[in-house]
Amino acid sequence: MPPLSASFERVARRGAGYIGGSVPAPLVAPAFDAVRAAWATAGREGSPHLVALAYSALGDTVQGHANVWDYYQSTGDEVARLITDGMASGPGRVKDAVAAFADI
């Protein structure tokens, strides 16, 4: 399991679901899989409620990226870059991001 296994186990014991970080779907998928596995291991019925966060920019995509960068810059350049680079810019990329999250 990823390093957040304690939080996944808490979700399975006491929670209703999990909110993934604001990163692209391929980076969230392992966490969602770990939550599902912890849920099953705990003997919970049904499935956990899984929520994904995704930033997008329509219109002035340069300003949209700048806004997200500014918000996350306090976390350090690496995290800010990961989140900003994962933004869906323009209608086509937004549609692709929605499909990618639906797949996981």
Side-chain angles (χ1 to χ4, degrees), residues 62-85:
V62 172
Q63 185 61 53
H65 279 82
N67 292 344
V68 171
W69 175 268
D70 185 56
Y71 182 81
Y72 282 99
Q73 189 175 13
S74 66
T75 65
D77 286 353
E78 184 178 351
V79 172
R81 188 174 300 107
L82 175 67
I83 294 170
T84 304
D85 289 351

Side-chain angles (χ1 to χ4, degrees), residues 6 13 20:
R13 283 192 320 268

Side-chain angles (χ1 to χ4, degrees), residues 56-68 84 87-91 93-94:
S56 62
L58 300 172
D60 188 346
T61 59
V62 172
Q63 185 61 53
H65 279 82
N67 292 344
V68 171
T84 304
M87 286 181 63
S89 300
R93 285 197 62 201
V94 169

Side-chain angles (χ1 to χ4, degrees), residues 14-35:
R14 300 186 189 123
Y18 179 79
I19 299 174
S22 52
V23 294
L27 298 178
V28 175
F32 281 8
D33 290 342
V35 171

